[in-house]
Amino acid sequence: MQTVISAAEMVTPVGINMPQSFASVRADITRMREAGDIYWCMADDPDFEDGTPLVAATLSYLENGRKKRGRPVEWLAHVAAQAFINLRPNTGLSLSDFCEAGMFMALPPPRPEWGPALQEEFVYHFHNAVELDIFPVEEFAYIGHAGTLSLIKSAQARLAAGQIRYALLGGVDSYLFSDWLEPLDQDYRIKSDRNIDGF
């Protein structure tokens, strides 16, 4: 069996779609900004120093959506839906084709106010945004960045078994929640005045 990638898409801080994102990367555009509205990083000596605002690349063009969808489950579904909305016209698939498609999505590992227990709500928000019913096969991997690669084998098996004719693989992540950032900050993993080589 031969598997073909027929379309790809993304949503990033430097572009609303894949071509724009790649052009921004080539042009060395990062769109980093102070994001004190999201999080203030800890000071080296909090008794004598103020903290500093988080420096991050946010999805500024989706910022209105972020304000309306403040919970992680809503925000992650919104970002994933935006990528799918961008992808859909590039696939060449009709509405009836999507009835034979499986969706395989990598999601962040469990974090405060986020995890597999919220999968049903995530699916609801995602499908509500993309205005499509649930796919006949939907699989999620809560393992973060490498999750999409881990789902390829499952997608290939479903295709080979004839359970689906098309597979949609993707992933979504975001760290821009104070409850998610604080433990990273405590562990010196966020770039700030007290940790100049964080992310």
Side-chain angles (χ1 to χ4, degrees), residues 53-66:
L54 174 75
V55 174
T58 63
L59 297 171
S60 57
Y61 52 92
L62 294 179
E63 212 48 41
N64 286 338
R66 181 179 170 78

Side-chain angles (χ1 to χ4, degrees), residues 72-173:
V73 65
E74 296 170 305
W75 174 242
L76 292 170
H78 179 62
V79 175
Q82 188 61 52
F84 178 81
I85 289 165
N86 291 350
L87 173 73
R88 188 173 165 186
N90 301 329
T91 63
L93 299 179
S94 67
L95 276 175
S96 60
D97 290 330
F98 282 108
C99 295
E100 301 179 272
M103 183 177 71
F104 303 83
M105 193 177 301
L107 299 169
R111 297 173 184 159
E113 294 186 57
W114 168 256
L118 293 170
Q119 180 172 305
E120 189 174 324
E121 186 178 354
F122 174 86
V123 169
Y124 167 79
H125 290 300
F126 175 83
H127 285 286
N128 191 43
V130 301
E131 298 179 343
L132 277 177
D133 289 333
I134 294 173
F135 298 101
V137 169
E138 292 188 338
E139 288 188 27
F140 301 91
Y142 292 84
I143 56 176
H145 302 321
T148 304
L149 296 174
S150 74
L151 289 167
I152 290 174
K153 187 172 183 179
S154 180
Q156 287 178 321
R158 299 275 195 158
L159 287 163
Q163 295 173 335
I164 53 175
R165 289 185 61 207
Y166 310 98
L168 305 166
L169 284 99
V172 64
D173 202 350

Side-chain angles (χ1 to χ4, degrees), residues 4-25:
V4 176
I5 298 174
S6 59
E9 194 50 81
M10 64 173 55
V11 172
T12 71
V14 295
I16 60 172
N17 55 32
M18 183 174 280
Q20 193 177 84
S21 297
F22 286 166
S24 294
V25 169

Side-chain angles (χ1 to χ4, degrees), residues 7 29 109 153 161 190 193:
I29 295 170
K153 187 172 183 179
I190 295 176
D193 285 356

